[in-house]
Amino acid sequence: MIIKRDFYINGAWVAPANARDYQVINPTTEEPCAIISLGDKADTDAAVAAAKAAFPAWAATPPKERARIVARILEQYEARVQEFAEAISVEMGAPIDFALSDQATCLPWHTSNFLKAFEEIEWIRPLGPQAPTSAVAMEPIGVVGLITPWNWPVNQIALKAIPAMLAGCTCVLKPSEEAPLDAMMFAEFCHDAGVPAGVFNLVNGDGVGVGSQLTTHADVAMISFTGSTRAGIAISKASAETLKRVVLELGGKGANLVFADADDKAIERSVRRMMENSGQSCNAPSRMLVERSIYEQAVEKAVAVAESIKVGPAHEHGDHIGPVVNKSQWEKIQGYIQKGIDEGARLACGGLGLPETFNRGFYVKPTIFADVKPGMTIEKEEIFGPVMAMIPFDNEEDAVRIANDTPYGLTNYVQTGDQARANRLALKLKSGMVEMNGKSRGAGSFFGGVKQSGRAREGGVWGIDEFLESKGISGYDFSAG
Ligand code: NDP
């Protein structure tokens, strides 16, 4: 059993002000795998005070020096990557090979992209030739509160803590209490990399406790949150009292438009993408919209792919999918599957209950519903499990209408052999991102949505910009040095 009750505050591991144990449950075994503490107001206040005290010196540290220190986090990662992947695997159920190849690697991927983008930031620049004495300076916003979820835990920490520190902000991270182990290792990486005391702080806790203490704290200038739309709304309201900047990366209900001229790998690629991470991705292509002429064929293919996906323990090697994170998510997903059946969608494969041969572990059968009608619950709401809805469409216009008729707007997908159509649809789909024909986002691009998927732009130069304020200056003389 891992015992990690302390918080990382002001460059040291410190005991909680008031002990409040919390058991982290391994979703494969349903047994506790770690004990952490849930912080209270005194812990949050101590972490914010440390971040506030460290801010002036860190903000004044030359950007190149900040980049040099942040880059050293990667050396720590390299030395401990296996242990890091094991922490993710045990806490949230990602199979170990996937945790190593896809989850853990988010840290070096985002950090190296941010370090490159960081070189593009112009800390002070002339406004333009029309205003020779006007300048624009970029300055770190201050102390930032980072609230992260359990589904891609390192990904979210890297997308927030790395650019915050590069920008010159100091931060307090509250990771999800469901997946705190990788976050505590990240704090160790920061410590061993020589990040100065107070620049990065970590307090474990729950949403109602440390989460809301951060969102209402007068000394926190900004909250960056990833999680449910429900929590995003609560955080926005709580942050309004102190007029914080709020950056939200929320849920999704991605539409995947598959046309008759799509390549032969399109269905398989899409189903695998949906089921990856046991469907626990906000950008999962969870609604497959298929051109009617190939619809029945597509359902058959999708079912064959889903049935070929193995489900298994997180600690076993292989390309299977693992359990979902916890009992309440498992129950929530079961509730959606039942709703799909009750509302008359055709259960094409998978369904209720544990997969055969399992009597414990939060496993969900890869499930496909066909003949889903726009407006059904499983078409509208984010399920966050390996459950895909298939819907036929008649033409491009019909497909765009169904795709856009959702409160969400994170990632939509297009599969077609007609590049002119793909280009046209990329502009018609209402989402922060559009991914076409399986081409993943390039290095330096951002991640973020529109509508109820939030308005974050995490990654690349945009992701650093989120942590900066622009200052307009007049009467500035660039020749004076
Ligand atoms: P939540 O969005 O509720 O929680 C995410 C994080 O925010 C947790 O650390 C949580 O703490 C914290 N939090 C929750 N409410 C508040 C608040 N009012 N103030 C401050 N912090 C808060 O995710 P859940 O784990 O409850 O998952 C529920 C659903 O959310 C999923 O089924 C999925 O649909 C969606 N989700 C979306 C994610 C995404 O990537 N966009 C990621 C995770 C979930 P605590 O756990 O104590 O509530």
Side-chain angles (χ1 to χ4, degrees), residues 147-151 156 174-178 205-208 211-212 215 225-231 234-235 249-251 281-282 329 332 382-384:
I147 303 177
T148 54
W150 41 261
N151 58 330
Q156 300 305 336
K174 186 207 90 66
S176 165
E177 67 274 30
E178 304 289 313
D206 51 18
V208 285
S212 55
T215 55
F225 168 77
T226 298
S228 65
T229 298
R230 173 199 63 80
I235 285 168
E249 201 278 276
L250 308 174
S281 300
C282 45
Q329 284 298 118
K332 185 178 158 198
E382 184 177 48
I383 298 176
F384 232 59

Side-chain angles (χ1 to χ4, degrees), residues 254-276:
N256 182 13
L257 279 52
V258 183
F259 288 85
D261 61 2
D263 65 276
D264 13 316
K265 292 267 175 260
I267 301 284
E268 173 168 5
R269 177 170 74 230
S270 302
V271 174
R272 291 198 183 282
R273 182 68 184 274
M274 172 64 235
M275 304 299 174
E276 180 191 272

